[in-house]
Amino acid sequence: MSKTTAEIRRAFLDYFANHGHQIVSSSSLVPADDPTLLFTNAGMNQFKDVFLGTETRRYNKATSSQRCVRAGGKHNDLENVGYTARHHTFFEMLGNFSFGDYFKQQAIQHAWKFLTEVLELPKEKLLVTIFHEDDEAFDIWNKEIGLPADKIIRIATSDNFWSMGDTGPCGPCSEIFYDHGEHIWGGPPGTPEEDGDRFIEIWNLVFMQFNRTADGVMHPLPKPSIDTGMGLERISAIMQNVHSNYEIDIFQKLIAAAAQIVGSTDLEDKSLRVIADHIRSCAFLVCDGVMPSNEGRGYVLRRIIRRAVRHGYQLGAKDIFFYKLIDELCNQMGEAYPELIEQKPVLEKVLKVEEEQFSRTLERGMTILNEALTELSGDVVPGELAFKLYDTYGFPADLTNDVAREKGFSIDQEGFDRAMTQQRERAQQASNFGKDYNDAIFAKSASEFLGYDAENNSAEVVELFDQ
Ligand code: ATP
Ligand code: MG
Ligand code: MG
Ligand code: MG
């Protein structure tokens, strides 16, 4: 039984509303009062303080369809877009939440019932992972739900211990996977081939039990709670009988529109998928008040826009094109998100101006990069070259990386960082004029954002820091 994305969103909210959950609207992509978070990355974000017990609501069960962006910070899928069938920068997360009401057993039963009774998914195509020590979860899946033991995989890594960021609510989780069938590449979770497209994670049930503080200590939460998240696009793919998120209704339409606008005929082209993905994150970010800029959230937005523009250029776009996709986006998502339609002229204007500015230098930068790639011996792009493209042509390192990766090259990140440091030192020596002012700005953006991925994304932080 095929269902549209809109129908699935509705069915989910209705199911949980019928089971006593309050339907709560999606919060903004810009988290309210949470400097530890770049963008809203999960349905639970807006309930963080409720889980921590520092805020109470008039309900203790909630459900939502939350818009999320994962393009920086702890959950960063920017580099996955165009490479996997399941990742977007922007997606909607369906969730049900219990604040000290029900816990593991009911959370698992609800999920199973929704998938197998409401959506009528075949039970034999589902399998789950649990945190390796969680015997309680094993018993519920095995004895109560009746899932055979070989379909319950114990995982010891952080994949089955969910956290929103380096601090905040967290706990062991159980993830539900769908088997898309043998003709698709990939192995079950826990195997070396797991990162294929065959076994796709659709729903994560988090048994929220701890609050991790900055010193790494895990404090038990006042009341064990439930936080779940299911990717709307991933469940839509299953319900629409396709194997990739990029083949669902919304994406088919966006990809067709992008192809028409840039004059491309190959609907399978990876660049079209990237553009279709990026128009959603860019439009929704602007809608939520983020403007392209040289620091913080605005800089992440700028990087996504530039990446989309670069892919359009690669497809042969002759003109400023990206903003033209807002039309189709409004057709596809305007009903669920009327603010898109209300703000349409603003969204178009912002994207248009940004592309105009970038396209002046894009062509020259691309020529230099492509020539350099042809002449390179080895498969590593020197850090100095990546830095020059960044410094002179406004190519963020991840954009150079995106181009290079397509041709089998990687970037010398260390060399890039070194060039960046040298540049900063030179700038400081050359002039002390405005030093205090600049320091104040750098200090602000660094302290604001160092929190979320100091470990893995040092280049990104340096970029934010240095702009
Ligand atoms: P994956 O392992 O596939 O990257 P995840 O474990 O990072 O997913 P969670 O943090 O558990 O994802 O988020 C809950 C659900 O949200 C996932 O089960 C998935 O259905 C969906 N989801 C997560 N990241 C994305 C994304 N980048 N694009 C689309 N859906 C996503
Ligand atoms: Mg992920
Ligand atoms: Mg996962
Ligand atoms: Mg997960």
Side-chain angles (χ1 to χ4, degrees), residues 70 75 77 86-91 93 159 162 175 201-204 229-231 233-234 245:
R70 294 191 172 184
H75 294 274
D77 289 323
R86 70 183 199 277
H87 288 109
H88 303 299
T89 51
F90 171 96
F91 64 101
M93 195 186 284
D159 270 351
W162 199 90
E175 297 189 325
E201 175 189 332
I202 49 175
W203 201 345
N204 191 357
M230 170 154 68
E233 298 78 3
R234 292 189 190 182
N245 286 10

Side-chain angles (χ1 to χ4, degrees), residues 145-394:
I145 301 292
L147 205 61
D150 63 352
K151 294 267 181 87
I152 308 170
I153 303 161
R154 291 178 188 261
I155 304 252
T157 65
S158 61
D159 270 351
N160 281 69
F161 197 93
W162 199 90
S163 45
M164 170 183 137
D166 292 333
T167 61
C170 54
C173 63
S174 180
E175 297 189 325
I176 305 174
F177 285 72
Y178 184 81
D179 181 356
H180 277 264
E182 269 171 26
H183 54 292
I184 310 276
W185 178 80
T191 63
E193 301 80 27
E194 74 163 291
D195 225 15
D197 294 337
R198 175 173 168 185
F199 294 90
I200 301 261
E201 175 189 332
I202 49 175
W203 201 345
N204 191 357
L205 315 180
V206 183
F207 312 127
M208 212 59 110
Q209 272 172 289
F210 304 105
N211 175 23
R212 182 158 46 203
T213 42
D215 51 10
V217 177
M218 303 229 270
H219 309 271
L221 288 178
K223 295 178 194 155
S225 296
I226 288 298
D227 150 38
T228 86
M230 170 154 68
L232 176 59
E233 298 78 3
R234 292 189 190 182
I235 188 69
S236 293
I238 296 169
M239 295 309 291
Q240 293 172 22
N241 237 327
V242 294
H243 301 304
S244 155
N245 286 10
Y246 290 92
E247 292 172 58
I248 67 171
D249 45 12
I250 294 181
F251 273 98
Q252 274 178 3
K253 291 286 187 344
L254 286 174
I255 286 172
Q260 212 225 335
I261 291 166
V262 302
S264 161
T265 49
D266 177 10
L267 291 181
E268 303 292 310
D269 196 302
K270 182 193 104 165
S271 290
L272 287 174
R273 296 207 298 269
V274 176
I275 293 168
D277 171 86
H278 289 8
I279 191 62
R280 298 207 314 164
S281 48
C282 294
F284 276 95
L285 283 172
V286 177
C287 213
D288 277 343
V290 182
M291 288 291 151
S293 81
N294 275 344
E295 63 166 25
R297 299 189 169 105
Y299 185 55
V300 177
L301 169 61
R302 172 163 283 168
R303 278 165 41 199
I304 306 175
I305 298 174
R306 291 187 171 185
R307 181 184 269 231
V309 170
R310 198 282 290 181
H311 280 279
Y313 170 91
Q314 179 155 317
L315 288 170
K318 297 278 173 289
D319 232 329
I320 306 293
F321 75 96
F322 195 42
Y323 77 96
K324 293 182 184 162
L325 276 165
I326 298 282
D327 235 0
E328 190 58 39
L329 183 66
C330 286
N331 293 341
Q332 293 306 314
M333 300 190 71
E335 202 178 312
Y337 295 97
E339 58 268 46
L340 279 179
I341 296 172
E342 282 154 28
Q343 295 202 46
K344 187 168 179 256
V346 180
L347 307 181
E348 290 174 335
K349 183 84 194 287
V350 170
L351 296 186
K352 191 162 181 242
V353 169
E354 185 66 14
E355 182 172 350
E356 276 164 358
Q357 280 175 2
F358 183 52
S359 63
R360 286 184 211 131
T361 56
L362 170 70
E363 206 162 327
R364 213 142 55 99
M366 281 300 291
T367 310
I368 293 177
L369 178 56
N370 282 330
E371 271 171 16
L373 291 180
T374 341
E375 283 162 17
L376 269 186
S377 55
D379 55 8
V380 180
V381 178
E384 299 80 44
L385 173 63
F387 182 73
K388 184 177 165 212
L389 286 163
Y390 160 77
D391 200 38
T392 316
Y393 299 101

Side-chain angles (χ1 to χ4, degrees), residues 139 150 431 434:
D139 285 345
D150 63 352
S431 164

